[in-house]
Amino acid sequence: MSTHDLYTVPPELRTWSLDMSGQSRFTWEYDDGRDRMLALYQKGKDKQWDSTKRIDWDLEVDPYDVLGVPDETLAIHGTPLWERMDEAQRREVRRHSAAWQFSQFLHGEQGAMICSAKIVESVPDLDSKFYAATQTMDEARHAETYARFLQEKVGLAYPINEHLKALLDSTLTDSRWDMPYLGMQVLIEGLALAAFGVMRDFTTKPLPKQILAYVMQDEARHVAFGRMALRDYYRDLSESELREREDFVIEGCYLMRDRLRGRETWEYMGLSKTEVDEAMEATDRSEYLRVFRSLLFSRIVPCVKDIGLWSPRLQQAYADMGVLDMAGQSLEALMKQDEDIAERLDEQRFAEEEAERHAEVAETIALGDPAS
């Protein structure tokens, strides 16, 4: 089945073309490199995995209860609009909500794949080119995984959100080599990583938990890559150059915040304009979504501070968004947690598979025992 058959509305175009600017940079220095970056590159090679083998695709998923989370997580829960809906309509709300979330993850991963490929082309340092090449493969695997999940398990997909598309446009059309890092590694990847984490920790369903945990294990390295490269580079920028980057960060964070409102989910479900407005008012008032949006900046804010973009005006922008307190988060602790959760999932799965094999062997021996 073509993915286009799953979309709630036909995409405007089968492809989206951007005229990207900038230079392709070669370097003839093959021996020198930063130890931290080369260590991250080695880890990127060591941690490659195959989604067809590591993920248990035989696990069933109810498309009307993809994550197995309480209805209280839905923005309209408990509102008059929710109370007017019958159970069939509520099931569709659950399905469309999950389909929209995972669709934006999918589109973001394709954007990350293209951005990391551009980094390989444009970044001046060979050690960064090496790592970005491993990330390009990671992002291809993530896009493959989310596409399969939507196609085989959910059966519904959404086009790319306009705010995500706008940030990708700004990121990819900028000629400066550091902007794909800043737009993708820090903003888009940082927000996605936090969103994956909230959903990974909340879901009671084993298949989405596996997918989110394994993708996060990779994404934690990608954010670390962006931090290393930009922290070194931004030390030498002028005040005016840093201000340009801060302007980009502020605009990008507002785009990411607005992306989370998801107006198109209500429009595509066939609600009237009045009902869509009612749903959006509930979204803006939802205490759960307020906390959720705040948590989504838990990776971005400390990363922006760490790379050296931390002027009073940027801090004020984060204060206005209600996320300034996220600056105290430890990125190292969050990354270690992401690694540990993925490893524990593997250990648990392997232990269960080993126990099943032992049981099969014992059963076979018992069947062949004349005394049994």
Side-chain angles (χ1 to χ4, degrees), residues 34-48 127-128 130-132 134-135 138 181 185 217-229 335 339:
R34 290 160 289 187
D35 291 341
R36 291 173 303 144
M37 190 68 77
L38 292 175
L40 194 65
Y41 168 55
Q42 184 62 48
K43 193 170 186 179
K45 291 188 293 181
D46 292 340
K47 295 291 186 177
Q48 294 292 318
D127 54 6
S128 292
F130 283 168
Y131 183 77
T134 68
Q135 181 178 342
D138 289 345
Y181 280 103
Q185 311 290 78
Q217 190 177 32
D218 294 339
E219 300 290 11
R221 294 195 306 275
H222 303 167
V223 173
F225 172 45
R227 287 172 63 204
M228 287 183 194
M335 288 171 56
E339 289 272 0

Side-chain angles (χ1 to χ4, degrees), residues 171-203:
T171 298
L172 287 167
T173 56
D174 197 297
S175 62
R176 294 166 293 187
W177 69 261
D178 63 298
M179 299 311 283
Y181 280 103
L182 190 55
M184 178 54 67
Q185 311 290 78
V186 175
L187 300 183
I188 297 176
E189 293 269 43
L191 185 137
L193 191 55
F196 297 165
V198 172
M199 294 172 66
R200 175 200 63 192
D201 296 341
F202 279 11
T203 183

Side-chain angles (χ1 to χ4, degrees), residues 133-372:
T134 68
Q135 181 178 342
T136 304
M137 182 61 213
D138 289 345
E139 307 297 5
R141 179 170 59 249
H142 300 168
E144 169 202 354
T145 300
Y146 284 128
R148 182 173 179 179
F149 183 71
L150 285 166
Q151 289 168 341
E152 296 185 5
K153 304 300 183 178
V154 182
L156 186 69
Y158 271 81
I160 187 171
N161 174 268
E162 61 177 336
H163 301 294
L164 175 58
K165 189 176 182 180
L167 183 52
L168 280 171
D169 192 330
S170 299
T171 298
L172 287 167
T173 56
D174 197 297
S175 62
R176 294 166 293 187
W177 69 261
D178 63 298
M179 299 311 283
Y181 280 103
L182 190 55
M184 178 54 67
Q185 311 290 78
V186 175
L187 300 183
I188 297 176
E189 293 269 43
L191 185 137
L193 191 55
F196 297 165
V198 172
M199 294 172 66
R200 175 200 63 192
D201 296 341
F202 279 11
T203 183
T204 59
K205 304 296 184 179
L207 183 56
K209 183 179 284 291
Q210 282 183 24
I211 291 172
L212 293 163
Y214 295 153
V215 168
M216 287 186 71
Q217 190 177 32
D218 294 339
E219 300 290 11
R221 294 195 306 275
H222 303 167
V223 173
F225 172 45
R227 287 172 63 204
M228 287 183 194
L230 295 181
R231 189 168 50 203
D232 292 345
Y233 180 58
Y234 286 174
R235 288 194 188 105
D236 300 324
L237 292 188
S238 67
E239 185 175 338
S240 62
E241 289 172 322
L242 289 175
R243 185 180 180 90
E244 290 174 352
R245 271 73 177 178
E246 289 179 346
D247 288 340
F248 181 86
V249 167
I250 292 170
E251 180 183 358
C253 285
Y254 277 116
L255 284 171
M256 289 293 90
R257 185 195 65 175
D258 292 342
R259 177 180 79 80
L260 300 172
R261 300 180 76 231
R263 183 182 182 92
E264 60 266 39
T265 57
W266 310 110
E267 294 174 338
Y268 297 158
M269 285 183 60
L271 300 184
S272 68
K273 184 181 183 305
T274 301
E275 289 173 325
V276 170
D277 291 341
E278 191 176 347
M280 294 311 300
E281 289 175 8
T283 298
D284 293 336
R285 291 195 310 266
S286 170
E287 178 62 19
Y288 170 81
L289 289 183
R290 186 194 66 78
V291 174
F292 181 70
R293 281 192 292 267
S294 177
L295 290 173
L296 293 187
F297 284 86
S298 63
R299 312 278 179 141
I300 294 176
V301 177
C303 188
V304 168
K305 180 181 180 181
D306 183 68
I307 63 178
L309 302 179
W310 202 241
S311 69
R313 56 192 293 271
L314 183 55
Q315 294 180 52
Q316 185 59 53
Y318 282 143
D320 293 342
M321 294 182 207
V323 298
L324 182 60
D325 59 341
M326 291 296 173
Q329 291 284 330
S330 169
L331 290 172
E332 285 74 15
L334 291 170
M335 288 171 56
K336 185 178 187 309
Q337 174 182 280
D338 296 338
E339 289 272 0
D340 291 345
I341 289 174
E343 295 296 339
R344 284 200 300 271
L345 273 179
D346 276 341
E347 291 171 2
Q348 179 183 345
R349 285 186 58 204
F350 294 153
E352 291 172 353
E353 292 171 1
E354 188 67 19
E356 290 174 0
R357 283 195 292 270
H358 281 301
E360 290 174 359
V361 170
E363 183 180 355
T364 301
I365 292 173
L367 290 173
D369 185 354
S372 62

Side-chain angles (χ1 to χ4, degrees), residues 14 66 109 175 239:
R14 286 188 173 269
V66 173
E109 297 294 351
S175 62
E239 185 175 338

